[in-house]
Amino acid sequence: MKHTAMVLRVVMAAAVMVAPLSAQVTTAPALGPAPKLSVPVVQTASLPNGLKIQVARNAEVPLVEARLIINGGARLRGTAPGLATFTAGLLGEGAGGMTALQLAEETDFIGASLRAAAGYENVTLSLSVPKRSVDRGFQLMALMLLKPTFSSVDINRQRALRLAGFTSAKDSPRAVATKVFYRNLFPASHPYHGNINGDSASVSQFDSVAVRGWWNTAADPRRTTLVLSGDVTLQEAVRWAAKHFSGWKAPSVILSSVPARDVSGPTQWKARVILVDKPDAAQSVIMIGGPGMSRTDPDYPAAVVMNTILGGSFSSRLNDLLREQLGYTYGAGSNFAFAPVAGPFIISTDVRTDVTDSSLAVIFREIAAMRDKGVTDTEVGRARNYLVLGSLSDYETAGQVAGAMSTALLFRLPLATIPAELARINGVTTADAQRMAKLRLNPAEMTVVVVGDLAKIRAGIEKLGLGPVEVQTYEK
């Protein structure tokens, strides 16, 4: 009897313990107020040669992140298509008498990473290094900047690789769709009309004379900012920069980019459908583009909230419908291509060939629903939380802070303005998001590009009546 009674007491105690646990698991906790984001204070200095320095200190980990940002990338006046990215790629191929392998081995030996890249607006040399090795790290960075080898052997090899890449891109439906998409959205004079890496005609002309000539004028300390974060003070930053970059002399010719406000965009956005044939393709690549907007537009907070609902997150309408409910794709999304020269608004997905027309129907049905039926308070609240709470983890590491400072520099938005911007996003109302949907999601202004097996998908797409249908090729 005693044993039976003890067992019953244990069972009853377990039942009491299980009930509250079940309630905790099945009841979603209420979200509290969003934590306040405190961004680091940015201190500034400069060298006599014009090099500007920005420092945000965070000494929790003995690491230093450095970004040497040279204003003027692919959009620099007089730059041949593809030359900026081609030259940046060669900076790591050897410098100061060291081969590419020796540079890589030395960088690895001190526990650092060092790389270079170019975009439309900048050429950036990035260094991540333990503080105890910072002097050697900056020494290697200075060699890449000031004494790149640019050997004919390396240039010939990289040129051949890039030309081969253009050939292989013709077999990639995604690469074909991207090329056709931007070629049709932007006029020939626009920087986004062509590939940032150039084309066969331009790249075949690259040699050591062209590369050296461009780098000698593009690498100008007067248009450069050294951004540092991590375990570094302003005094240390100035000392390191003076030691390694004070001998950097400005070129006699001052180059600049065409101001973003003076870049002429499309004169008219209109509905049309452009198809590219990819026989026997198992999937179709869909890209839909419309007018974009500037990162500094007052409507930016409302636009990003609206886009988060439509296709800017995994739980967005487009991804939920096309992936989770219908199984047409592995993913679907939308975004504004924010840049100093505003890019387009883009909806993109890869879908099964047999549901290409159905996928387009779903996308345009949701666009209409966003415009005409509106969004819910719940959707807007979730989107605000996704953007505001999710951004808090973007400033944890020295590398993330250096990246945020680089972005702030690109858009000329001081880092200190980020908390206020998040507050504006948190203040977006359902009416604001609805207004953005009506303003920014206009099917009459959208270009649809589909790359797929036209024998199987063309008739279905034409029945949708999305606009005049035109067939193009990779070349034109």
Side-chain angles (χ1 to χ4, degrees), residues 56 87 111 130 152 179 279 301 421 445-446 453 457:
T87 303
S152 296
K179 178 182 175 69
E421 182 177 271
E445 296 180 328
M446 291 186 173
D453 189 341
I457 66 175

Side-chain angles (χ1 to χ4, degrees), residues 17-50:
M17 294 176 63
V18 166
L21 180 61
S22 175
Q24 290 172 8
V25 170
T26 58
T27 303
L31 279 176
K36 183 180 179 181
L37 173 65
S38 297
V39 296
V41 175
V42 177
Q43 298 176 289
T44 63
S46 63
L47 297 186
N49 62 2

Side-chain angles (χ1 to χ4, degrees), residues 163-179:
L163 292 172
F166 292 145
T167 301
S168 64
K170 296 179 182 178
D171 291 328
S172 165
R174 172 56 62 178
V176 172
T178 301
K179 178 182 175 69

Side-chain angles (χ1 to χ4, degrees), residues 178-377:
T178 301
K179 178 182 175 69
V180 174
F181 180 79
Y182 282 97
R183 183 178 72 200
N184 282 278
L185 255 64
F186 295 100
S189 59
H190 196 281
Y192 301 157
H193 178 84
N195 189 331
I196 191 173
N197 291 324
D199 53 30
S200 299
S202 63
V203 173
S204 62
Q205 303 299 315
F206 294 169
D207 56 19
S208 59
V209 174
V211 170
R212 288 180 185 280
W214 188 80
W215 186 242
N216 288 339
T217 52
D220 188 335
R222 295 166 297 189
R223 291 187 285 102
T224 302
T225 303
L226 178 62
V227 169
L228 297 110
S229 65
D231 190 2
V232 51
T233 65
L234 181 63
Q235 292 73 23
E236 289 173 324
V238 172
R239 189 170 70 249
W240 299 338
K243 178 179 180 181
H244 297 286
F245 302 122
S246 60
W248 184 8
K249 299 187 185 314
S252 57
V253 178
I254 303 176
L255 297 182
S256 63
S257 303
V258 177
R261 63 178 179 278
D262 294 337
V263 176
S264 299
T267 55
Q268 183 182 10
W269 295 84
K270 54 187 178 183
R272 54 180 174 165
V273 179
I274 299 166
L275 305 179
V276 181
D277 195 17
K278 187 68 177 172
D280 300 324
Q283 288 189 319
S284 298
V285 178
I286 296 174
M287 295 185 73
I288 302 170
M293 63 186 295
S294 168
R295 175 71 171 72
T296 56
D297 192 300
D299 282 335
Y300 171 80
V304 294
V305 168
M306 181 277 290
N307 178 65
T308 300
I309 297 169
L310 177 66
S313 69
F314 191 83
S315 59
S316 66
R317 290 189 181 189
L318 293 180
N319 196 61
D320 180 56
L321 283 167
L322 293 172
R323 174 191 158 102
E324 298 299 309
Q325 296 189 34
L326 298 170
Y328 290 173
T329 178
Y330 286 112
S334 63
N335 67 283
F336 287 94
F338 292 115
V341 177
F345 172 73
I346 307 169
I347 298 173
S348 179
T349 184
D350 296 4
V351 301
R352 296 196 327 257
T353 294
D354 63 327
V355 293
T356 302
D357 53 350
S358 301
S359 300
L360 285 169
V362 169
I363 291 170
F364 279 90
R365 186 186 71 202
E366 282 310 305
I367 289 173
M370 290 277 289
R371 285 170 53 88
D372 302 333
K373 297 180 181 177
V375 296
T376 67
D377 293 341

